[in-house]
Amino acid sequence: MDAKSSYSFQAGNFITLKEDHKEAYRLRMVEWRSAGTVERLPSPTKIARARALGYKAKAGFVILRVRVKRGDLHKEKIMGGRRPRRYGYNKLTHGKSEKWIAEERAQKRYPNLVTLNSYYLAEDGKYKFYEVLLVDPTNPSIKNDKNLSWTISNKHRGRVYRGLTASGKKARGLSGKGKGSEKSRPSIRSNGRLRRH
């Protein structure tokens, strides 16, 4: 039997906190709601999840907590001759996940950094909270790291806006391979499945 790492216990404790300490969880949500949309943090809230996605406790890393509003999109009611079924203003979606939107907001706040990855934190009735990991490609500790030196290249600048992060690729339908996903690459537009307006 393999011994469990300390990170596995930390991941379990985060879930236990939500179930056994509901009042503490509620107070945390109140604090996060009153904070800004994008907040810089000294260290990750979920250290085990951050480490799994490439975080290292070294210079050059920036951790942000991003707030995204829940729910569908809404349009103004069309004042014209239509039956309700043809209004087309309910159940409209972004076409991208809230996680991807959180990454874009983080990148917009820090345009000189490179978005590495992100993970889900928590949610309440109005918002969802994500933590986004960014790295500074000009920092010497990032340049000399064999696992992170790829961020130096200019072709990775703005990768979140081009759907090159994990959540972006998933939303673009690139998470599957083989039979049934032939028309997902290089993009759904190039295969004629989605036309520009």
Side-chain angles (χ1 to χ4, degrees):
M1 184 177 177
D2 296 331
K4 294 178 73 173
S5 67
S6 62
Y7 292 122
S8 63
F9 286 108
Q10 289 169 2
N13 290 339
F14 197 87
I15 298 170
T16 305
L17 175 67
K18 184 177 179 180
E19 295 298 324
D20 297 346
H21 305 282
K22 292 184 177 179
E23 183 61 22
Y25 186 82
R26 187 187 67 82
L27 293 174
R28 175 181 277 181
M29 291 294 100
V30 171
E31 180 186 347
W32 288 1
R33 271 198 305 271
S34 62
T37 305
V38 180
E39 288 285 326
R40 185 168 179 174
L41 306 176
S43 61
T45 308
K46 287 183 176 180
I47 184 66
R49 185 63 184 140
R51 288 280 294 171
L53 295 178
Y55 169 77
K56 297 179 181 180
K58 63 195 304 184
F61 270 91
V62 174
I63 301 97
L64 302 176
R65 184 180 66 241
V66 184
R67 186 181 72 197
V68 180
K69 196 170 183 179
R70 293 178 59 184
D72 299 333
L73 292 171
H74 298 281
K75 290 197 303 184
E76 289 187 13
K77 188 173 180 180
I78 302 169
M79 304 306 291
R82 290 174 179 81
R83 52 189 169 137
R85 181 178 179 179
R86 301 301 181 197
Y87 277 145
Y89 68 94
N90 279 335
K91 298 184 179 178
L92 300 171
T93 61
H94 291 279
K96 60 174 73 173
S97 65
E98 282 121 341
K99 189 177 176 185
W100 191 0
I101 293 170
E103 290 177 353
E104 288 180 337
R105 288 182 182 176
Q107 185 70 75
K108 187 177 181 181
R109 180 66 64 90
Y110 292 88
N112 60 318
L113 304 183
V114 175
T115 303
L116 189 62
N117 223 318
S118 63
Y119 53 90
Y120 168 85
L121 265 185
E123 64 184 87
D124 58 13
K126 193 172 182 180
Y127 299 107
K128 282 188 178 180
F129 299 91
Y130 296 90
E131 257 179 25
V132 184
L133 307 175
L134 300 99
V135 294
D136 182 3
T138 62
N139 194 293
S141 63
I142 301 298
K143 285 182 178 181
N144 298 327
D145 192 319
K146 64 179 182 179
N147 296 322
L148 298 170
S149 58
W150 58 268
T151 58
I152 300 171
S153 176
N154 284 330
K155 69 180 181 180
H156 295 295
R157 293 298 176 98
R159 62 194 294 263
V160 65
Y161 298 125
R162 294 175 283 138
L164 299 179
T165 57
S167 58
K169 287 183 178 180
K170 183 177 180 181
R172 290 164 58 206
L174 301 179
S175 56
K177 293 182 180 180
K179 187 176 180 180
S181 62
E182 296 88 293
K183 293 186 177 180
S184 297
R185 290 175 176 82
S187 70
I188 58 175
R189 279 199 178 93
S190 65
N191 279 288
R193 291 170 55 202
L194 185 68
R195 298 185 180 278
R196 293 181 184 272
H197 298 293

